[in-house]
Amino acid sequence: MSRVDGIRSRVGRALHQRERLAQLEREVLRGDVQLLTTDVFDTVLLRDHTTEAQRLAAAARRAAPELGVDPGALARLRWEAHASGYRAVSMERPDGEASLTMMCAAVAASLGLGDGAAKTLHDAELAVDAEHLRPNRPLLAVFRRVRAAGVRVVAVSDTYYSEDDVRWLLATVTGADRTGGSSGGLGSRELPIDRVYSSADEGATKHRGGLYPLVAQRESVDPARAVHVGDHPSADVQRSREAGWTAVHLPREGAFRAAKILGGAAALPSALRRAR
Amino acid sequence: MSTTTTSATRELGGAPRSAEVTPESFGRDVLGPVVAEFCLRLWTLGTQLERPEDTAMLFCARGGLRMQLAHERFLASSGLPTAVSLRPLMVSRLAAVRPVLVRTPREGLDHLLPSAAAALAKEFAVLDLGAAVKALSGVGPEQLPAGAAAPLSQPFTPDGLAALLRSPDGALVTEALEEQADLFVEHLRQQLDGRQHALLVDTGLYGTTRDLLAEAGLREQTSCALIARSFRPGTAADHRTYGLSVTAHDYSLLQRRSVLLRYWHFVEWLFEPPLRSTSRFERRADGRVVADTEVDGWEDLVVPAPGTPFAGVLAYLDALPPAPAEKVVLDADRAWGQLHRAVVLPTPDHGWAMSVEARSHGFGREETWTQPEQRGLLEVLRSDGMWREGEVARSATPLRLPVLLAVEALYGLRNGYRAVRRRAPIAKR
């Protein structure tokens, strides 16, 4: 591919993203839509190329001195709590979700440390994750316009983070003062999201389909009058359509996917060490 | 010779040759951290359950009985609390297959259910139907009507067994299977004591027992935690069965934990107490259902003889400090490397310390795997013993290292070939 073709391709993808955002806005403002729901990670908050294991290891290195624990051992324990969390979900409650709070509590207890240590680890993870996220400003601008038109906007995330954690990440990464509320204004520093639903708190997920009806019920909205936007073809698009919602797919751009592959390759040695 | 040494020698099938690495020291220094890491992971798994009080970890006989002993010692030393109930489960694949088999006549099916068909087709591939029926139900061909004689002498097939279970000629077999299936399910519920989630804990590898129980039509939820999880070719991963120490298709040089698959007989032998495999259940006068494994004083037989590798494992667990996660993780990291070297490139000491005695095949069959007497190098390499590398090491040949490295290289080639074959159908799709 020549350099000119490469530039054309990137411009094309950017236009594609802009078209999808325009499509989303049209869908929401068509008149009868009451609720716009949005995925959070890789939709509102865009991750960089790092892997989850790399971020967990970085958080362990940050928390270890305060906890007085070997950083490598702490990272291994945290990764094992992660694996155990999802094993327990598969074994006991396949429609449910793991919880960061429970994982950090297990790590702290196994080290003979208390709730304060669990919070230190928890906070380190949130802080490290925030450093590897950036806001999707064009999408946030769409949210502001549709909220101005009277449509409620809520975030719906498949995540082990609690709703408070997700709210903190949204506010921290976007630089917003706080999440918006029905009585709040629409200043540029206010996050244009009225509420957050997290699978960890709700005990139901998008990828198994249970979270959509739950949100529709909580929001007292007919699914036919709700629109969902997200990056995942199955959890965000297929499952929301099955629940009767209108879905708009907003995939990450090709440059991100390439960076992700390169990041994964760079992380291969540590992945192999972990597997050993 | 003291009683202690006699016991150790009896369990090892030969006298230890050196004091440098004894079975017990190997158990304490290498296997202890590996088992402690498993226990830590099992405890962590329990902490991540939302309803731990509704879950019983059922340690599956026979290997699971020593796993329960190890886990209880780990919890006692570490002081880590758990809300999950820990109970033994007297089970074998033979016991677990019966509730699945009886669904065929009870539900009027013309076939065996998939997990039972797969398990029996593998176990009874070389037997005739009569021998398989005897192993499963205890009913011999001579007890059945003359009309059943011809099919019973045919090679075993799942469809042949399904036909027998549905025919009047097979009524005695069906009755015997139903009685044992019902007693086993009652034993399972006794151990669950009203809990709705049975988390089976076993050594490994394929999770067959959980597959069978999942198809037995129980109202309770089942899942399974193994030390090592592997997969039969062509089978899909079951998302309720996990290998807590290792999950792998094969031994791989890149994954040193997979060394457990390289010498799996040792893992089974390490945990297996000298108790018979569970075959039959009966109701005692007090109404309790018990298995033939539960002979008088069976709990004492779960405790290992002094001087054995498992005694060393317990010594390590007993010496753990409270809340020992950091120590366990760091010790286990070192121990996995040592275990890998001991299995792949054993010294003569390792060869003796990790030697195992005969092991029963199970599934109602009489055959055993045996540790051959000391053989020549060529004979060892030509044969398919339980642990070829150990035999090479014990032979004290000066060619030990080059031979073992060559064996390792061959494993590497085989591993690569199998990995390519496993990926081939995926690529075609």
Side-chain angles (χ1 to χ4, degrees), chain A residues 21 23-29 32-39 43-44 139-147 150-156 192-195 197 215 219 221-223 225-230 245-248:
Chain A
L21 289 175
Q23 180 204 347
L24 172 67
E25 198 164 343
R26 278 197 306 276
E27 287 285 354
V28 176
L29 297 179
D32 59 346
V33 171
Q34 293 179 328
L35 179 69
L36 169 61
T37 60
T38 178
D39 173 42
T43 299
V44 181
L139 181 62
L140 288 166
V142 171
F143 291 167
R144 284 196 180 89
R145 288 196 290 275
V146 302
R147 280 188 81 227
V151 175
R152 187 167 158 84
V153 178
V154 304
V156 182
I193 290 176
D194 297 288
R195 177 161 182 188
Y197 291 92
V215 170
E219 294 289 322
V221 71
D222 177 355
R225 302 182 72 180
V227 174
H228 179 75
V229 60
W245 301 34
T246 299
V248 175

Side-chain angles (χ1 to χ4, degrees), chain B residues 26-47:
Chain B
F26 189 76
R28 187 186 58 241
D29 299 339
V30 179
L31 303 173
V34 167
V35 174
E37 184 201 60
F38 171 83
C39 293
L40 178 61
R41 290 179 174 198
L42 190 61
W43 173 83
T44 307
L45 177 65
T47 66

Side-chain angles (χ1 to χ4, degrees), chain B residues 249-262:
Chain B
H249 283 277
D250 271 322
Y251 164 72
S252 164
L253 184 57
L254 295 175
Q255 191 184 7
R256 61 185 180 175
R257 290 162 177 267
S258 67
V259 78
L260 295 184
L261 307 183
R262 178 87 169 252

Side-chain angles (χ1 to χ4, degrees), chain A residues 68-70 73 76-77 80-81 84-85 87-88 90-94 99 102-103 106 109-112 275-276, chain B residues 41 43-45 47-51 80 221 223-224 239-240 242 244 253-257 323 325-326 329:
Chain A
V69 180
D70 178 89
R76 278 188 176 266
L77 288 169
E80 183 49 40
S84 291
R87 284 172 186 146
S90 295
M91 289 174 158
E92 184 197 37
R93 49 186 199 282
S99 149
M102 286 170 76
M103 294 177 200
S110 72
L111 293 162
R276 283 174 71 79
Chain B
R41 290 179 174 198
W43 173 83
T44 307
L45 177 65
T47 66
Q48 301 302 297
L49 296 168
E50 263 187 7
R51 292 172 281 107
L80 294 175
Q221 197 176 348
S223 60
C224 187
H239 295 295
R240 294 196 178 190
Y242 290 94
L244 300 195
L253 184 57
L254 295 175
Q255 191 184 7
R256 61 185 180 175
R257 290 162 177 267
E326 185 177 15
V329 165

